[in-house]
Amino acid sequence: MQTMVEVRGLAKTFRRADGTAVQAVKGIDLDIFKGEVFSLLGPNGAGKTTTISMISGLLTPTVGDATIGGHSITRQPTQAKRLLGVVPQEIALYPTLTARQNLEFFGRMYGLSGKALATSVDEVLEFIDLRDRQKDRVETFSGGMKRRVNIGVGLLHKPQLVYMDEPTVGVDPQSRRRILDTVMRLKEERGMTVLYTTHLMEEAQELSNRVGIIDHGQIIAMGTVGDLIQKVGEEDRLFLKVGDQAVSDEVLRRIQERVPGVTRAVYDPPGAEGEDRSNTSGVIIVSAKRGRRALPQLIQIAMEAGIEIQSVEVREPDLEAVFLHLTGRALRD
Amino acid sequence: MRKIWTIAWKELYTTYTDRNLVLIMIATPLLVASIIALAFGGQGGVSIQNIPVAVVNLDEGSGGQNFGAIFVSAFVPPAAGAALAGQDAPACPDAPASGTAAGSGLFELTDAVELDDADAARAAVDAGVYAAAVIIPPDFSRKIGYGPGDPVEPVSVEVYGSSGREVAAGIIRSVVESISSQIAAGHIAIAAALETVGQEYGMLRLLSLANSPEFAASAACAFTPAYNTLTVTQQTVAGQRVDSRAALLVVVGSSQAMFFMLFTGQGGVFSVFEERRQGTLQRLIVSPTPRLVILVGKMVGTFVSCVLQLVFLFAALTLVGSLISGQLTLIWGDQVLAIALVIGAAALAATGLGTLLAGAARTPEQGQIFASVINLGLAVLGGAFGFVLPESVSRFSMIWWGSDAFRRLSLGQADIIPHLLVLLAHGVILFGIGFWLFNRRLDI
Ligand SMILES: Nc1ncnc2c1ncn2[C@@H]1O[C@H](COP(=O)(O)OP(=O)(O)OP(=O)(O)O)[C@@H](O)[C@H]1O
Ligand SMILES: [Mg+2]
């Protein structure tokens, strides 16, 4: 497999105004292969944007280097940047220019001109489905439409690699679906390599060939979704909703000791920041090898303790579980 | 490099499609200058009336001719005037038939009295009795009444302005300037006409010829209130027609243009901060475009924006001037190349100042504060608010250098080389330092 991006020992330390240092990225090694979708998955503040900014040449690394298509971003920035299309996290467009003018301006910045530029702009407008609104100022667009233009700018010069930094943040479900489909089309129809960052495990799971999980500025696990799930031993998680009934440690201890296959049982009281965020009810979270089989016994123990279970949810292993397993914290804060 | 022009063009496009910005850049200074010019009580215009002025004529005369008296007669109505009293109204061939003292705009504009004691007049200004005192020095006629071969000596009429009434004092000052230039122009024209005569008579002093009835008559025609000083036009040395209201439009218009251009220069460069906030600067940086190109493109855009602002403004003021005088009047003079050079140098200085401030400021807010303070300071020093400051102080302001150069050009003078050099030096030095500071800040 051909390598598109090679990241070695990349680190960034920011210096705050008060003089203290923030180690946002602490030495990352990473390879991204041609034609794959690679996701960087991590919670807010993990260092995703900082990493990607160094790869794209926006930030100068404190230590380390990255190459795109063999060109070092620190030593041959112009060559490296030519191969890269950028879709930043925040919408980065000129509000008073029309969609078409924005595309044309940035197209010129990538060295396009004349007929090639016009063709390219037309293609992109087609691709992001905004042909009929191309003559309108971007400031009159809806959030979802702006997002689409924001993506379009990154595709103008038909880059080999396109990075998208949390492109679905603050987008309605319909637009979000559209963006995810776009990513798949870029990979499948155009053979582009995509570097995608997100804090949503569903997105990483759906899109990626491979995922790097990043936390506190370090990659803590990397591989295909299947590989990563293997790591947590294919455990299911059971969520037993108990309302505002108290759950004693004794109950949790009994679950862990008496039910076969259970590796962990924790109680998440109502209102607390827990794994289940829509948490108006207390939840007992049980990790178990074969979750469904353990269910009858769990209910039995609860009844013995006088706890009435209001509902049960079984979740198959996912990247969320991997993150929980690796860090002891939930992916979403 | 093509990308520089792409960025510069985008700057211009976004600037000039922003209606509010154009309003501030062009409409506001245009309005300010026009209102002040119209304040001279043209038909139906806004008028400032009865500015109290003291005129002190210390002129001892020369060769029987007292040029200082012209000022007295221009400001003080004949009934109260002493200088030309007793003379019959001269027969002026091209004076309006109904031209009487009642028609003089200046008499409505001012409420002038003649005093004998300069110190007393200054004290009265300080005490607030008068908005300004016009003091003609004892050697005024002697110095101005030169003939061929005589050394040209500088001579100045003092306008002592009240610090509490800057606008009024500024108006008086510009009226005096316009009269002075008319005296000089009228005298030179007559002196030149008489030169041939002088050669015929060998030793004949032109000074006494200046005292000839022809000269006295034509000077009196040009400057008597009956002729209405404010609308009279005189041949200048360059053979160009100058109108006092147009002259005021030039003085006020050019300093306002310079003042407002400072904001354009800063706004243009400061838009980098805005671009950083909206993320487009980051987009530019991750494109295969060197940072230097981004920076230079921005500055070229800002520079052209400043140039366009001045060009639009000057064109609009020409229109206003022409409307006021009822005929096409090139109020800026006809030295197009020199005007273009001064515009370019001034725009460079403004862009340089913007670059320096953007480079020096840590945050855009801080930059805006720096900019406001500096712009107001330069405006006060440079006379954009009508303050009458000594030239030695005004020289610290690029506004003065620019507007003084435009004023000179409008009078048909050509001695603007120092102005050009000073503005260029401003531009180059500010630009250099700013560029260096700024380039470091771009490293986000
Ligand atoms: N310019 C900066 N100066 C100081 N600290 C910074 C700067 N940029 C980022 N950081 C810090 O670096 C850490 C990583 O930030 P980064 O933006 O890379 O996170 P992220 O993974 O992209 O988060 P999110 O999902 O919220 O976008 C954070 O703690 C952040 O506060
Ligand atoms: Mg981020």
Side-chain angles (χ1 to χ4, degrees), chain A residues 151-162:
Chain A
I151 292 174
V153 172
L155 307 176
L156 274 170
H157 64 295
K158 304 189 178 68
Q160 297 185 25
L161 168 72
V162 58

Side-chain angles (χ1 to χ4, degrees), chain B residues 148-283:
Chain B
D150 283 2
V152 176
E153 289 181 80
V155 58
S156 58
V157 174
E158 177 184 354
V159 178
Y160 187 79
S162 159
S163 57
R165 291 146 109 166
E166 292 83 5
V167 173
I171 290 170
I172 297 306
R173 177 178 155 160
S174 68
V175 170
V176 168
E177 279 176 355
S178 127
I179 296 175
S180 307
S181 68
Q182 287 178 37
I183 290 176
H187 184 61
I188 289 164
I190 289 168
L194 292 181
E195 195 163 0
T196 24
V197 186
Q199 279 159 355
E200 274 174 35
Y201 289 90
M203 296 298 291
L204 192 62
R205 287 280 298 166
L206 272 171
L207 203 56
S208 56
L209 265 180
N211 196 24
S212 69
E214 302 97 283
F215 179 74
S218 73
C221 281
F223 305 113
T224 44
Y227 199 81
N228 190 348
T229 315
L230 281 176
T231 50
V232 77
T233 59
Q234 272 287 316
Q235 287 301 123
T236 63
V237 192
Q240 199 189 336
R241 300 173 82 76
V242 171
D243 181 308
S244 327
R245 279 179 303 188
L248 187 68
L249 211 52
V250 167
V251 172
V252 181
S254 62
S255 61
Q256 291 297 312
M258 287 292 298
F259 176 53
F260 278 83
M261 187 178 62
L262 295 184
F263 291 96
T264 309
Q266 288 145 0
V269 185
F270 278 30
S271 67
V272 167
F273 292 122
E274 171 67 8
E275 287 220 31
R276 177 176 301 171
R277 202 189 49 72
Q278 74 191 12
T280 43
L281 178 67
Q282 288 85 326
R283 256 207 202 282

Side-chain angles (χ1 to χ4, degrees), chain A residues 56-60 78 81-82 86-88 91-97 101 105-106 108-111 113 137 150 153-154, chain B residues 2-4 6-7 10-11 13-14 17-18 274-275 278-291 298 443-444:
Chain A
S56 62
L58 182 62
L59 286 176
T60 315
T78 312
K81 285 170 178 174
R82 267 197 203 110
V86 172
V87 180
I91 288 165
L93 301 167
Y94 295 105
T96 58
L97 298 187
Q101 284 167 338
F105 174 73
F106 286 111
R108 289 206 175 88
M109 288 299 114
Y110 279 90
S113 62
R137 286 178 172 214
N150 201 40
V153 172
Chain B
R2 202 152 60 185
K3 285 182 185 175
I4 291 179
T6 306
I7 295 175
K10 192 268 307 168
E11 285 301 298
Y13 185 88
T14 47
T17 48
D18 185 339
E274 171 67 8
E275 287 220 31
Q278 74 191 12
T280 43
L281 178 67
Q282 288 85 326
R283 256 207 202 282
L284 286 172
I285 291 175
V286 297
S287 77
T289 311
R291 278 163 210 245
K298 266 228 162 296
D443 201 22
I444 22 180

Side-chain angles (χ1 to χ4, degrees), chain A residues 14-16 22-25 42-51 53 59 89 165-166 169 197-199 214 217, chain B residues 444:
Chain A
F14 288 113
R15 209 152 284 286
R16 285 217 194 90
V22 187
Q23 274 193 292
V25 175
N44 292 125
K48 302 183 293 292
T49 300
T50 307
T51 303
S53 300
L59 286 176
Q89 182 164 358
D165 193 4
E166 308 206 42
V169 168
T197 78
T198 180
H199 65 270
I214 181 169
Chain B
I444 22 180

Side-chain angles (χ1 to χ4, degrees), chain A residues 129-147:
Chain A
D129 200 11
L130 279 175
R131 206 173 235 294
D132 48 336
R133 294 292 302 273
Q134 57 173 298
K135 295 231 166 76
D136 292 342
R137 286 178 172 214
V138 165
E139 63 191 354
T140 66
F141 283 10
S142 73
M145 289 158 73
K146 285 182 194 163
R147 285 257 162 222

